[in-house]
Amino acid sequence: MIRYLSFPVIFVTQFAAHASAQEPPDEALGKEAYQANCMACHQADLRLVGPSLVAIAETYPLEKEAEFIQWAKAPGKKDPKLLQMPPMSHLPDETLAAIHKFMLGEAKGKTEQKAGSQYDTYKEPVRELPYVVRAFLPDASPASVAVVLKDGISLCWDTEACRFRYAWAGDKTRLRQGHTVVNLRQKPFYRESAPALWSFAGDDEPQFHGYRLHEDGTPEFAYSFGDIEIRERISNGAEAGSFVRHFTLSKPLEKLSLNLEQDSSARVSADKGELNNHTLTLTAGDTKSFTLTISKP
Ligand code: HEC
């Protein structure tokens, strides 16, 4: 089974450059994961939304890695003047450990600067598209992430339920009082409404393994039902106003169906199998890897 600890660069070294046993470069992993998940609130030497890395390094030196991970997954409430930090339970321990190391490195030799006011010097970092950000999204569990693609398309992927939730057009994510929030001003143009996507889901609880970013910034989520591991990569489609979900299963199945009921009217097409009445049916050779293309109506 593939271990999903990883972020961008690593994907490239592991797969594209066919290096099989190369160790993930922790430093790059830590930096990317910090930028994607923590930088919005934690700066090296400034206490803005959350404490500075200088302060964090004092509380959590290298030997306090376990405590650091513990906090990040289930943050407490310490400073009454600061907001509640959102849990980072969607990140695997190894990624949090890499972030910890990166934070310690960034804090080294720095002292905390005094910010005039807690909020008004703060600007949301300018991000290149696509990006993935931990966000508070309507109609999804608190452990959801927003995927912001090019071409004005954004998606909600729920890492607790291990499923894609919906896609919307127009609005980007916004930072409000330290929380990345999404206000959907328009109805999502695609929203899955079936109780379960996969025919093999049954009563099994899905297990989330993490996500990584490809070199072009597109995310790939990994999760499993029982002994079937699924990887789902999401990217812009070739046509404007569309996106593609690339699925890879860890093993071929005799037969497989996906329930693609939606309470919206997006166009859905598949590169394999039969799509009838919102059900995609795949047989033997086609079940290991296939794509769905979803387009704005
Ligand atoms: C939305 C803003 C936000 C994000 C994103 C965020 N934090 Fe925090 N973090 C906070 C706030 C606010 C506090 C202070 C909470 C308090 O003291 O009650 C905090 C505190 C901390 C602390 C100090 C805990 C202590 O015991 O003093 C650590 C460590 C930390 N965050 C790690 C992380 C890591 C790692 C990430 C990214 C994976 C992250 N944070 C992302 C807002 C955030």
Side-chain angles (χ1 to χ4, degrees):
M1 191 186 282
I2 292 173
R3 293 195 320 148
Y4 257 72
L5 323 169
S6 6
F7 268 81
V9 221
I10 294 106
F11 194 88
V12 183
T13 43
Q14 280 185 342
F15 293 89
H18 62 256
S20 47
Q22 215 165 343
E23 272 299 300
D26 256 12
E27 219 173 286
L29 168 63
K31 183 176 177 184
E32 294 284 351
Y34 158 76
Q35 288 176 343
N37 299 284
C38 323
M39 191 171 77
C41 301
H42 296 291
Q43 312 282 306
D45 55 3
L46 274 185
R47 177 187 141 103
L48 291 168
V49 181
S52 66
L53 303 190
V54 173
I56 289 178
E58 268 166 33
T59 319
Y60 298 96
L62 199 55
E63 61 275 16
K64 293 242 168 109
E65 180 182 288
E67 289 87 344
F68 175 93
I69 293 173
Q70 176 62 31
W71 168 277
K73 288 165 83 163
K77 192 79 210 74
K78 280 195 178 168
D79 187 333
K81 290 196 295 297
L82 296 178
L83 296 159
Q84 172 67 51
M85 172 174 148
M88 294 290 153
S89 44
H90 62 296
L91 297 174
D93 287 4
E94 289 81 353
T95 303
L96 290 168
I99 293 176
H100 184 215
K101 283 206 195 74
F102 176 77
M103 284 182 163
L104 293 178
E106 285 298 283
K108 214 178 222 158
K110 297 199 172 98
T111 48
E112 197 167 296
Q113 308 295 307
K114 284 269 164 284
S117 141
Q118 219 169 294
Y119 298 115
D120 59 14
T121 49
Y122 179 76
K123 285 215 180 62
E124 186 163 13
V126 178
R127 295 186 170 99
E128 258 180 65
L129 297 174
Y131 66 84
V132 177
V133 66
R134 174 74 181 62
F136 289 102
L137 291 136
D139 304 325
S141 89
S144 295
V145 295
V147 177
V148 183
L149 297 175
K150 292 179 184 150
D151 196 23
I153 294 182
S154 305
L155 324 156
C156 166
W157 212 95
D158 190 329
T159 66
E160 190 180 296
C162 291
R163 64 179 294 176
F164 181 96
R165 292 269 180 203
Y166 49 81
W168 72 94
D171 285 325
K172 286 198 188 155
T173 60
R174 233 183 305 281
L175 204 84
R176 197 198 297 140
Q177 295 202 319
H179 296 264
T180 303
V181 289
V182 172
N183 299 328
L184 295 177
R185 269 181 272 149
Q186 296 164 15
K187 205 173 164 266
F189 67 83
Y190 177 67
R191 186 206 296 265
E192 293 195 343
S193 57
L197 174 67
W198 300 99
S199 53
F200 52 67
D203 296 331
D204 276 347
E205 281 288 315
Q207 176 91 38
F208 184 61
H209 300 301
Y211 69 92
R212 50 178 153 199
L213 302 175
H214 286 245
E215 203 190 22
D216 62 2
T218 58
E220 182 177 275
F221 299 92
Y223 57 102
S224 54
F225 282 96
D227 60 350
I228 304 172
E229 188 183 289
I230 300 148
R231 290 195 268 147
E232 175 176 348
R233 178 182 180 184
I234 303 178
S235 64
N236 277 104
E239 231 180 272
S242 71
F243 64 94
V244 183
R245 296 162 71 188
H246 313 251
F247 294 96
T248 313
L249 269 59
S250 58
K251 60 176 196 187
L253 301 170
E254 288 268 294
K255 197 174 172 207
L256 163 67
S257 63
L258 276 73
N259 187 343
L260 294 164
E261 274 163 32
Q262 50 170 315
D263 65 5
S264 45
S265 51
R267 278 183 292 130
V268 179
S269 62
D271 71 337
K272 288 178 188 157
E274 291 274 336
L275 186 55
N276 262 323
N277 246 333
H278 303 297
T279 302
L280 174 67
T281 309
L282 298 153
T283 44
D286 291 341
T287 60
K288 256 202 91 135
S289 112
F290 55 94
T291 66
L292 286 177
T293 302
I294 294 153
S295 316
K296 273 194 260 181

